[in-house]
Amino acid sequence: MKVLKFGGTSVGSVDRLRRIPQLLPSDETAIVVLSAMAGVTNELVKVTELVKDRKMADAIQLFKGLEDKHVEVASNLFKTKLYKKMGEEFVIGLFHPLMKKLVNGIDNLNKYIALGEQLSVGLLKLLLAEQGYKVAYIPAFEFMRVDKDNEPDYFYIEQNLRRQLHINPFAKVYVTEGFICRNVNGEISNLGRGGSDFTAAIVGNVVNASEVQIWTDIDGVHNNDPRFVTNTSPVRQLSYDEAAELAYFGAKILHPQTINPCRIKNIPVVLKNTLNPTDEGTVITTLSSKSGIKAIAAKDGITAINIRSSRMLLAYGFLKRVFEIFEAAKTPVDMITTSEVSISLTIDNASNLNDIVNALSSFAHVEVERNQTIICVVGDFLASHKGYAARVLDCLKEIPIRMISYGGSNNNISLLVDSHYKVQALRLLQQLFPAVKQANSVLDEVDAQ
Ligand code: ADP
Ligand code: ASP
Ligand code: MG
């Protein structure tokens, strides 16, 4: 069984939706995980923000616009009158009760945010049915659930997903929503923005898929962020570790948590371009293609915290005290550097920052810097090879660097810069690629001796 996930742009228009059946495997059963049509989740989030601001007329107008957009898609997507009618009725049937609540009072705003995926999945299911596929809809709300720590509840998911598949034993294609789930109390929730990739990975894990394919609008993972750097190129092979670092440190093409569920079961993750399906894309497995620098990513919205102890920092017990505070605040730490008297570390979730600073201030001097960016250089940096860090720093010699972290793993050199320098840093680091090829060949020669 294969799991295929199609992102927002891959379901973003009638034309794109019509391409999906051609991309399904002919030889294996498929579970198709869909995102909302491009831009729709953003608009739904806006609707919920307008509701919170009590701007109900604006919320209703925006919501109505989304209904009209989907009705239009339904009226153009299908060939037969019957399916056109079913499509339009399906869309109106989903909007109608939520529109009523918008007027009369809302209970759970996440119901609105979930609508985008429900719409695209329902429309694709009808399209496949019209074309004669043996297709079954398996609602994500019937099996996708997170626990009290917002982690996937694998036991629950496995039991319920298997039940859903068994209810429809003759289907060759199952369709389900990405992103949306229930929380520990069974309420409607989601896996966070961009979470459809994560859904696909969790589903792949649970059904022991032979492959998880992530279909998007670009030919795989590029060696730098194509939104800011022009001459990027696809990386054909990445190890799970390399891909996880890139996803975690900002490569938008993959939701940060996508790799782990597949790594655990050794399931290949393949990133493919819907607009150019014959391109090989990027394959992620345990194998790394070769040593050296593979790709660069950047993660914004980072807060740096400098903690200076009046006593000797590395007196034992000090670090424990510091990290207990982050644990109590349920705030993960990304980068850490230490000196004799202080620690600098970074967090990307500053929602409990005040509590953290108050607690740390009881035994240390604390300084906070917001608007920082982690620049992450990813590759396979064998400890025996020389020169990687030097090359990275050489590219960035014009940029003030706030922190450097190297050696935590063989796969990552991270640098913290003020967000103001992010784009400049990414562009300067692109010089690494032609230069690194030469460096590698020199290093390979050294190895061969
Ligand atoms: P989808 O809607 O299919 O999930 P996303 O917009 O989430 O697509 O991810 C694809 C986009 O990620 C690309 O269009 C590209 O602009 C952006 N991106 C950022 N970093 C990278 C990278 N290193 N490689 C490829 N794409 C990247
Ligand atoms: N539709 C959701 C979002 O825009 C989930 C996804 O696309 O992966 O965040
Ligand atoms: Mg995405």
Side-chain angles (χ1 to χ4, degrees):
M1 189 177 271
K2 282 198 169 91
V3 176
L4 289 82
K5 175 259 171 175
F6 293 91
T9 43
S10 304
V11 296
S13 65
V14 167
D15 174 52
R16 299 279 169 89
L17 281 163
R18 283 195 186 137
R19 288 171 192 234
I20 292 180
Q22 297 151 26
L23 303 174
L24 300 178
S26 50
D27 51 341
E28 257 181 290
T29 308
I31 301 184
V32 175
V33 175
L34 290 195
S35 293
M37 296 178 80
V40 168
T41 308
N42 284 348
E43 302 260 292
L44 289 166
V45 170
K46 251 186 234 156
V47 170
T48 64
E49 280 162 0
L50 289 167
V51 169
K52 282 186 212 152
D53 293 344
R54 314 298 301 139
K55 295 184 175 157
M56 299 314 282
D58 292 344
I60 290 168
Q61 193 187 5
L62 191 57
F63 199 55
K64 182 78 183 92
L66 284 170
E67 178 173 8
D68 294 346
K69 174 190 165 100
H70 284 88
V71 168
E72 194 179 330
V73 170
S75 67
N76 293 318
L77 185 61
F78 306 104
K79 279 210 174 105
T80 56
K81 268 193 182 152
L82 173 67
Y83 274 87
K84 266 187 217 298
K85 187 165 175 287
M86 285 200 291
E88 288 173 12
E89 280 175 6
F90 161 73
V91 171
I92 292 165
L94 275 183
F95 273 92
H96 185 69
L98 290 180
M99 185 64 94
K100 243 169 115 180
K101 282 204 177 130
L102 215 45
V103 177
N104 298 329
I106 293 176
D107 47 352
N108 177 356
L109 287 174
N110 282 336
K111 279 187 188 163
Y112 288 78
I113 296 172
L115 196 60
E117 272 68 16
Q118 294 179 298
L119 286 159
S120 56
V121 168
L123 290 170
L124 181 73
K125 187 213 152 179
L126 287 172
L127 181 68
L128 291 169
E130 186 185 38
Q131 295 186 359
Y133 284 81
K134 287 181 180 160
V135 56
Y137 166 51
I138 47 172
F141 289 145
E142 296 295 325
F143 66 89
M144 191 55 76
R145 188 172 169 129
V146 291
D147 63 19
K148 63 178 182 9
D149 298 318
N150 274 330
E151 294 292 333
D153 182 343
Y154 279 101
F155 182 77
Y156 180 95
I157 295 168
E158 177 153 10
Q159 301 275 311
N160 289 282
L161 176 53
R162 290 207 179 279
R163 182 173 309 131
Q164 288 294 317
L165 298 176
H166 285 142
I167 297 172
N168 302 285
F170 302 113
K172 286 277 168 277
V173 186
Y174 297 91
V175 291
T176 189
E177 302 93 345
F179 174 59
I180 65 178
C181 65
R182 289 187 185 273
N183 66 16
V184 69
N185 300 318
E187 295 150 350
I188 290 178
S189 184
N190 61 64
L191 299 171
R193 297 305 308 270
S196 297
D197 303 331
F198 192 25
T199 303
I202 296 166
V203 169
N205 171 300
V206 165
V207 302
N208 294 310
S210 59
E211 189 169 284
V212 170
Q213 299 177 357
I214 309 279
W215 288 84
T216 182
D217 59 356
I218 189 165
D219 43 356
V221 179
H222 277 221
N223 58 8
N224 205 330
D225 194 324
R227 293 168 298 173
F228 307 111
V229 181
T230 45
N231 51 339
T232 63
S233 53
V235 185
R236 297 311 186 179
Q237 206 181 349
L238 285 170
S239 68
Y240 290 119
D241 290 344
E242 291 167 342
E245 299 276 7
L246 281 173
Y248 187 71
F249 287 108
K252 182 180 180 250
I253 187 167
L254 272 180
H255 180 274
Q257 284 167 282
T258 309
I259 295 300
N260 210 31
C262 295
R263 179 192 351 224
I264 293 168
K265 295 270 180 93
N266 208 1
I267 299 166
V269 179
V270 184
L271 286 102
K272 299 271 288 176
N273 187 353
T274 335
L275 304 172
N276 185 15
T278 52
D279 186 273
E280 63 190 283
T282 299
V283 180
I284 302 166
T285 59
T286 47
L287 301 176
S288 173
S289 52
K290 58 177 169 32
S291 63
I293 295 170
K294 305 280 171 52
I296 295 150
K299 187 173 178 179
D300 291 324
I302 301 294
T303 302
I305 305 173
N306 186 263
I307 306 156
R308 189 151 36 86
S309 163
S310 41
R311 289 178 298 141
M312 223 170 74
L313 174 77
L314 295 177
Y316 46 79
F318 184 81
L319 290 177
K320 179 169 178 251
R321 265 177 106 182
V322 168
F323 288 111
E324 272 171 357
I325 288 168
F326 286 87
E327 189 188 349
K330 293 200 167 174
T331 301
V333 171
D334 286 332
M335 280 176 77
I336 310 170
T337 57
T338 63
S339 80
E340 177 59 7
V341 290
S342 62
I343 316 174
S344 273
L345 46 77
T346 69
I347 57 174
D348 75 342
N349 176 359
S351 47
N352 293 326
L353 185 63
N354 284 344
D355 291 347
I356 292 170
V357 171
N358 286 340
L360 290 169
S361 299
S362 67
F363 59 92
H365 177 76
V366 184
E367 280 167 19
V368 171
E369 277 176 85
R370 290 178 180 263
N371 301 322
Q372 304 290 301
T373 292
I374 294 177
I375 305 282
C376 175
V377 180
V378 164
D380 191 358
F381 308 130
L382 296 177
S384 56
H385 279 180
K386 292 177 282 191
Y388 297 125
R391 280 176 182 279
V392 169
L393 292 177
D394 194 45
C395 290
L396 298 179
K397 56 180 178 272
E398 302 301 329
I399 291 191
I401 297 171
R402 169 75 177 69
M403 284 169 69
I404 302 172
S405 171
Y406 178 41
S409 84
N410 276 349
N411 299 110
N412 176 329
I413 302 173
S414 294
L415 306 114
L416 189 72
V417 299
D418 189 292
S419 299
H420 174 73
Y421 294 106
K422 165 182 136 172
V423 173
Q424 195 188 348
L426 288 176
R427 289 182 183 158
L428 287 168
L429 285 167
Q430 190 63 15
Q431 299 170 65
L432 284 169
F433 294 108
V436 157
K437 267 188 199 140
Q438 288 162 23
N440 276 342
S441 56
V442 172
L443 292 168
D444 290 345
E445 275 169 31
V446 171
D447 272 0
Q449 285 167 11

